[in-house]
């Protein structure tokens, strides 16, 4: 097989690719992130690249204009390598490293966390063992067990054959001074490692939130509970589809599951290696990883077939996954380190939601609370210390900047806050304060709210026929211009079209309807909900007022809303630091009822009624004129 | 590296060997058993082979007579391959397959066994699962756990990631009818396998006694408890030394541990494959193996460094080994099958003794009992339901036919019973009733008893100066001829020398002294011992009266002696068939005190006093004239 060198700009990464391999596939090998929400099927038109040197062959596509084609612009997914290449990934196709919001580590999470007794997933104990003599010549293993037993009750403690094989030598070489790493597996304490000397001060772990779009990780000192650093990266699987359904479909291809599994693992390893290097932590001293993610993400991470998640009656292979060897999955920490996953409750309500409830402290609340995790799947939990009921609505990826014309994820250059004056003047703020490259979810919410307020948009989501340079008619309907080409870093005007608004309307309707159905299911109304936790990647950039104005969030006093941040990540951190928190999460999963929207006849009615801005039933939004 | 073909006769097995490799090493590769108690150091002179074709080079050895050398006879351990060879293993160097004593499955064992509740190490349960629907769409794993829970309480049941990965497909392909194999690991129930359809009827296991000399195994139907077959083979490690000390020394060589480990595993696999084939059992239906063996044998089997067992203060790496994957050790049964080992209590009192106490029911006895396991290590347990105290005496391999001139293991052709009349006439019986090839342990005991009675031997172990063709003087002292060359199949006269008698005297003194010290340690005397269990390879071929006459066993009424047979094997069978028996063995191990003879000053005195036939203190043997 002939092989060629493909160099990607601006990353300047080079990879060897076989003849006829697609540029997208080569980019993935090179670790170059290209936006490809359709999963490489040539239908979304996002993965645009410019071939600046070399020969390619491409399938014809209506998604590339003739002008672009003349410039050497192709869709990476349907263009094959025929020679050595130099390829520029166009700005609009790039997936930047996600910004890290330290603001997510908010006080609220910490206050919740103090309630749990500290006992990390993996703990180190230094032991100075009495040397054996003829009056005391029990086995090496029994000696360790006996001496640990003097410090704490760990009856029935076990270890692996591999540890027993190396035990005698380590004990004698270290003059009977060793550090034991203890983990609980299947509720039985286990010695996972015996190290010579006192290494007990060096014990680190990672909390990981494996989201559909973003993978976030935190390096934690397991002795002190201190967060040493936080890092996020795009989930590399995103090149194969923006939502969980398209990932599952991809996983059903030959080698598909293996590919997606490897990408999840690679993303996590990248975060782990990066933070460990930054903070000068030896990977051998990283003994535990706790992951929270939705059910599909956890299946893919563990290379478990997710096929039946998407098929009626929506059955996952497993919801609670025991502590296992991290190495068994490919996660590169101490080879005897432990990986644990937050327990989920169904195909659509995963461990990220359990972690969310834990982190928000919803399970201990006296008042009725609503947790809304806004993402491609909108997950909603209603309840308090008495009960918990969860549901999940397929909102689509619009709020994550996918499936909308100028959408992008909330990374550098994304328009995140917008004000539209009554004379249609537009002010906006981008992430990183540079020139605009596109619009992220919170930006769209502000835009729709602003357009409604300025009278540009009707309740139905149609742009009014107003004579103004920002309002234009195209073959597909009207559009509103946020930033003209010369004002931005995109490849044209940044606009919001009626098609985009339709997508966003469906997304907000799905989430609002899910919230409403849950509340109605219990014969309650929103007024009874005293606290609403907003969780997810939106973070603090979401404008709650705008979200209420467009009918995404219920119309309640602003002081009832709490930005809980990335509760999946903070919940995972609580679980790695505290067995009590981990047990609480299991109790939450056991207690939480799952409400299946697809079998609820009222859901479709609620959803239809919510397909207006803010809602068909205006009495629900009394503050909106 | 030049390679040659070496064919061994009479086995007719051919193996490829590199130039300069020893014939012994080639024989081991070929699976040809050659007696080599010195471990291949060229000092015991046992591994004689005749090179009938081809070229070899040998180190000079005084152990080969010039006559033999002229016939092409060499020591296999110091003779290297220089061309293709044909090699005849001399009869005296051959290790036959051990005879299988079905008599060992004696009623006594069975009567003890009935007391335990049946619950096998690995169990199969057939489940017809309700199909999931929208009202009941818990995860596949939760569904299995829920349905098992309706049959029996298995709270906290776990499974491996590998099983979860294959679960969804198996459930659907089998139309929700599956068979679950359950084992207890670390006291937590675990699903070790999920199979399509109903395979619950096919569940088999092996009880294994891994002895220093012989490995015995039993194929057991885990559903019915029925023994389908018993097989024994020599422990292949015997080529590297007859006793545990020489094995440990060999294990300390480079690759030594790996070699001995592999030989233990190969021996077990041979028994398993042989019995499975014989009884038409699919190895995939063999889901469990329970091993009992002394501490060194278990270390070697599991490839755990045994070095510190033989060094003061005699510390093993571990005494109790959790249930583990049999495949982790190399035992070829179902890849997800479980291996468990009987718990030991010290370097010198291993799981074979715990199994022995269990099998004999000594831990439940009202009366004071003494269990004597006669082997290279003589293990002795004194006690009853109130207490148990064990010790171990290094008897040496004389009773197993090693280290004595014409000694051989109790296999075909071994003189096992002997009568010597007052006019020095000799009658004997061989195993298999063919011509004599040597003398095994029980034969030696009869011979010494007979010689004492006939007045040939004095109490000190010296052969009297009697003018008779059977009594001869050599450079090394006198010897007594059992069978002249023309009467036997050996390569000369079969004799007992004073040096042999000295070895046997030391062996019997060690065991008797150990028994006596234990009894005295508790301020008792033998008269208080109401039952003596005789365990080990001697089986029913041991003549108790002779053993008392020579001072090996205490002088007690014959009806107090019980032949318990191979209690290590029967104990292992009890443990694989009953979790209660296995728990009882753990309780026995926890309860049993270990008495270290080497730190007991009185032991040497007792031992010295026992270096007479029957004993210095004749009052202890009132029945002996």
């Amino acid at each position: 097989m002939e092989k060629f060198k493909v160099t990607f700009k601006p990353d300047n990464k080079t990879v060897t690719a076989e003849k006829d391999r697609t540029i997208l596939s080569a980019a993935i090998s090179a670790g170059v992130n290209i936006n490809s929400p359709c999963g490489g099927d040539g239908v979304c038109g996002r993965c645009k690249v410019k071939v600046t040197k070399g020969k390619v062959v491409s399938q014809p596509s209506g998604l590339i204009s003739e002008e672009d084609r003349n410039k050497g612009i192709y869709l990476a997914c349907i263009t094959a390598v025929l020679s050595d290449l130099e390829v520029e990934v166009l700005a609009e196709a790039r997936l930047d490293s996600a910004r890290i919001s330290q603001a997510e580590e908010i006080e609220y999470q910490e206050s919740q966390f103090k309630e749990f007794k500290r006992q990390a997933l993996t703990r180190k104990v230094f032991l100075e063992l009495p040397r054996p003599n003829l009056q005391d010549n029990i086995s090496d293993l029994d000696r360790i067990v006996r001496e640990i037993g003097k410090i704490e009750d760990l009856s029935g403690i076990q270890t692996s054959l591999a540890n027993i094989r190396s035990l005698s030598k380590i004990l004698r070489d270290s003059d009977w001074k060793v550090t034991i790493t203890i983990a609980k597996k299947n509720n039985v304490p286990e010695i996972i490692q015996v190290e010579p000397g006192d290494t007990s001060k060096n014990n680190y772990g990672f909390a990981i939130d494996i989201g559909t779009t973003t993978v976030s990780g935190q390096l934690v000192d397991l002795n002190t509970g201190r967060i040493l650093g936080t890092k996020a990266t795009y989930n590399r699987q995103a090149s194969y589809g923006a939502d969980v359904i398209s990932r599952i479909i991809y996983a059903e291809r030959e080698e598909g599951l293996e590919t997606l599994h490897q990408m999840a693992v690679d993303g996590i390893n990248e975060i782990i290696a990066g933070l460990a290097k930054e903070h000068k932590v030896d990977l051998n001293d990283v003994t535990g990883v706790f992951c929270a993610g939705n059910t599909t993400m956890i299946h893919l991470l563990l290379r478990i077939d997710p096929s039946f998640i998407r098929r009626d009656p929506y059955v996952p292979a497993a919801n609670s996954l025991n502590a296992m060897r991290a190495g068994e999955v490919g996660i590169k920490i101490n080879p005897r380190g432990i990986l644990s996953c937050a327990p989920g409750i169904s195909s659509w309500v995963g461990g990220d939601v359990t972690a969310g409830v834990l982190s928000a402290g919803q399970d201990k609340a006296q008042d009725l609370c609503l947790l809304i995790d806004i993402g491609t799947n909108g997950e909603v939990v209603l309840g308090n210390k008495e009960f918990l009921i969860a549901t999940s609505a397929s909102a689509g990826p619009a709020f994550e900047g996918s499936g909308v014309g100028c959408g992008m994820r909330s990374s550098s250059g994304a328009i995140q806050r917008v004000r539209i004056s009554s004379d249609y003047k537009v002010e906006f703020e981008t992430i990183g304060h540079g020139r605009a490259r596109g619009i992220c979810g919170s930006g769209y919410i502000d835009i729709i709210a602003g357009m409604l307020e300025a009278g540009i948009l009707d309740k139905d989501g149609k742009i009014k026929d107003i004579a103004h340079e920002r309002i234009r008619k195209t073959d597909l309907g009207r559009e509103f211009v946020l930033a003209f080409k010369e004002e931005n870093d995109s490849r044209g005007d940044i606009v919001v079209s009626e098609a985009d608004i339709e997508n966003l309307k469906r997304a907000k309707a799905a989430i609002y309807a899910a919230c409403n159905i849950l509340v109605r299911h219990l014969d309650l109304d929103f007024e009874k909900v005293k606290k609403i936790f907003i969780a997810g990647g939106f973070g603090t950039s979401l404008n709650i007022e705008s979200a209420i104005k467009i009918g995404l969030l219920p119309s309640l006093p602003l002081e009832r809303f709490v930005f809980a941040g990335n509760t999946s990540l903070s919940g995972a951190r609580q679980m790695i630091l505290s067995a009590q928190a981990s047990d609480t999460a299991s109790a939450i999963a056991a207690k939480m009822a799952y409400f299946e929207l697809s079998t609820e006849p009222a859901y479709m009615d609620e959803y239809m009624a919510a397909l207006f801005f803010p809602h068909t039933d205006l009495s629900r939004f009394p503050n909106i004129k």
Side-chain angles (χ1 to χ4, degrees), chain A:
Chain A
M1 181 68 78
E2 225 173 332
K3 288 188 181 174
F4 302 111
K5 275 191 184 161
V6 183
T7 302
F8 290 94
K9 302 279 175 179
D11 295 40
N12 224 4
K13 288 183 178 170
T14 301
V15 74
T16 304
E18 296 84 22
K19 184 168 178 284
D20 293 333
R21 193 159 160 203
T22 68
I23 292 176
L24 179 62
S25 148
I28 289 163
S29 304
V32 171
N33 292 316
I34 298 186
N35 203 356
S36 166
C38 75
D41 284 336
V43 297
C44 75
R46 291 300 191 85
C47 58
K48 281 180 192 155
V49 293
K50 186 173 177 181
V51 176
T52 50
K53 275 186 202 164
K55 253 176 69 185
V56 296
V57 61
S58 188
Q59 293 171 36
S61 168
L63 297 165
I64 299 281
S65 66
E66 205 182 315
E67 188 194 345
D68 276 355
R69 212 172 296 136
N70 293 337
K71 287 180 188 158
I73 290 172
Y74 298 91
L75 294 183
C77 68
I78 53 170
T79 305
V81 176
L82 290 185
S83 73
D84 287 352
L85 296 183
E86 199 174 271
V87 173
E88 186 192 333
V89 182
L90 298 191
E92 62 206 86
R94 264 176 235 155
L95 286 174
D96 286 358
S97 274
R99 89 209 130 99
I100 297 156
S101 164
Q102 285 290 354
E104 286 176 3
E105 314 322 324
I106 54 173
E107 277 175 40
Y108 184 78
Q109 292 173 0
E110 294 305 317
S111 71
Q112 291 303 311
F113 185 49
K114 289 198 184 84
E115 297 189 15
F116 292 116
K117 183 171 166 258
R118 179 76 52 78
Q119 190 186 53
L121 176 68
T122 45
R123 295 177 298 130
K124 287 190 177 183
V125 180
F126 174 59
L127 293 175
E128 287 191 78
L129 301 163
R131 290 149 186 273
N133 57 54
L134 283 170
Q135 280 67 49
D136 171 24
N137 59 1
I138 57 173
S139 78
D140 290 337
L141 181 60
D142 288 339
R143 182 169 305 272
I144 286 178
V145 171
R146 183 184 72 190
E147 297 302 313
I148 300 172
K150 290 178 183 169
I151 302 170
E152 53 180 311
D153 178 28
L154 288 170
S155 55
I157 194 165
Q158 304 288 347
T159 196
S160 68
L161 182 56
N163 278 324
I164 293 173
R165 282 175 176 162
S166 59
L167 194 58
S168 298
K169 189 169 158 47
I170 290 176
L171 288 178
R172 285 160 185 83
D173 287 356
S174 67
D175 199 22
W176 304 91
K177 294 178 185 68
V178 291
T179 302
I180 310 297
T181 308
I182 301 166
K184 259 197 181 169
K185 277 171 73 180
N186 307 349
N187 262 322
V188 177
E190 184 177 324
I191 298 169
I192 59 164
Q193 178 180 242
V194 182
E195 292 173 292
D198 185 358
T199 69
S200 61
K201 286 203 180 58
N202 305 321
N203 195 26
Y204 302 93
F206 277 87
I208 303 280
D209 162 44
I210 175 156
T212 309
T213 304
T214 305
V215 183
S216 309
Q218 259 173 358
L219 171 59
V220 187
D221 184 325
L222 295 180
N223 286 318
T224 64
R226 210 160 69 88
I227 299 167
L228 300 181
T230 305
K231 222 183 179 73
T233 176
Y234 273 105
N235 188 331
R236 299 180 183 193
Q237 297 170 345
S239 299
Y240 290 113
D243 57 30
V244 295
I245 298 290
S246 48
R247 305 271 173 93
I248 295 173
I249 291 169
Y250 189 84
E252 288 166 13
R253 294 192 191 181
E254 207 185 320
E255 297 292 315
L257 176 57
E258 183 55 47
T259 303
L260 295 181
H261 158 68
Q262 201 51 55
M263 287 181 167
V265 169
D266 287 352
I268 290 174
N269 283 338
E270 181 187 320
I271 289 176
I272 289 175
L275 280 173
K277 195 176 169 191
E278 225 167 86
H279 297 276
K280 298 186 174 54
V281 165
D282 186 329
L283 283 181
N284 258 316
D285 292 329
V286 178
T287 57
V289 172
F290 216 114
C291 277
N294 66 49
T295 304
T296 303
M297 287 306 113
I298 297 297
H299 276 59
L300 295 177
L301 171 63
L302 303 183
R303 201 162 55 72
I304 301 170
D305 177 13
S307 306
F308 302 98
I309 288 178
R310 75 176 179 101
R311 291 184 165 83
D312 186 336
Y314 317 113
V315 176
N319 274 317
S320 61
L321 283 308
N322 315 330
M324 64 200 95
R325 282 275 164 85
E328 199 179 346
V329 174
I331 293 181
K332 288 178 187 155
I333 57 169
N334 181 304
R336 289 169 181 176
I338 297 293
L339 167 68
S340 212
C341 297
I345 71 158
S346 77
S347 276
W348 306 117
V349 176
D352 51 348
V353 178
T354 314
V357 171
L358 176 77
S359 174
Q362 188 176 6
D363 59 310
K364 289 172 300 197
Q366 298 280 351
D367 288 335
L368 186 62
C369 303
L370 189 65
L371 172 74
I372 307 176
D373 195 338
I374 299 171
T376 308
N377 277 310
E379 289 118 352
V380 179
V381 185
L382 181 67
N384 55 17
K385 60 183 281 198
E386 305 297 336
F387 74 95
L388 291 165
I389 183 163
T391 195
S392 165
S394 180
F399 286 128
E400 294 181 76
S402 230
V404 276
C406 295
M408 66 181 286
R409 286 160 191 157
S410 49
S411 56
S412 177
I415 295 174
Q416 66 169 345
R417 284 175 183 272
V418 182
R419 263 173 56 91
I420 302 172
S421 66
S422 54
D423 58 350
Y424 316 141
K425 272 196 192 127
V426 173
E427 285 175 68
F428 58 75
E429 178 192 310
T430 63
I431 296 174
H433 304 286
R435 281 165 67 93
R437 289 176 45 211
I439 308 166
C440 72
S442 58
Y444 277 114
I445 291 167
D446 267 5
I447 291 164
I448 296 172
M451 287 171 76
L452 285 167
E453 205 144 22
I456 302 168
L457 201 65
D458 70 16
K459 286 178 184 174
D460 207 23
K462 296 290 170 208
I463 296 172
K464 293 182 189 161
D465 185 9
I466 299 168
H468 188 275
E469 56 166 358
R470 289 193 181 272
I471 297 164
R472 301 193 300 222
K473 195 162 165 52
T474 72
D475 290 351
L476 300 166
R478 295 203 176 81
E479 62 185 21
F480 180 76
V481 182
L482 263 284
F484 290 100
K485 191 173 174 176
E486 51 279 13
E487 300 169 326
N488 70 50
D489 263 4
S490 178
R491 295 179 44 76
D493 300 340
I494 295 178
V495 303
V496 182
S497 70
E498 286 180 340
D500 296 341
I501 291 165
E502 183 65 22
N503 270 339
L504 291 154
K505 193 175 70 176
R506 288 173 194 274
K508 78 95 190 169
I511 291 171
Y512 180 84
C515 294
N516 198 37
I517 282 282
L518 266 198
V519 169
R520 277 182 47 187
H521 180 67
L522 298 176
D523 283 326
L524 298 168
D525 59 52
F526 278 124
E527 186 45 48
K528 296 280 190 307
V529 178
K530 298 304 180 197
K531 210 173 239 173
I532 301 104
F533 301 105
I534 305 296
F538 273 116
T540 49
S541 71
L542 176 68
N543 183 330
I544 295 285
E545 281 181 283
S546 297
I548 295 173
K549 276 179 195 156
I550 73 165
L552 167 61
L553 297 179
S555 178
L556 288 169
L558 293 187
E559 63 274 16
R560 294 197 192 175
F561 291 88
V562 176
F563 283 118
N566 185 342
T567 53
S568 175
L569 182 63
S570 52
R573 187 176 73 250
Q574 293 181 2
M575 286 185 255
I576 199 173
L577 286 172
S578 165
Q580 195 196 350
S582 179
D583 292 346
T584 303
S586 297
I588 289 170
K591 175 183 171 185
M592 189 149 48
Y594 172 61
F595 185 78
E596 177 71 63
L597 285 183
S598 66
T599 58
E600 171 59 37
Y603 179 67
M604 196 41 75
D605 298 339
E606 270 297 333
Y607 172 71
M608 297 301 287
L611 285 175
F612 289 84
F613 293 116
H615 198 274
T616 321
D617 177 6
L618 275 181
S619 71
R620 298 198 195 181
F621 290 83
N623 302 321
I624 315 285
K625 297 128 270 197

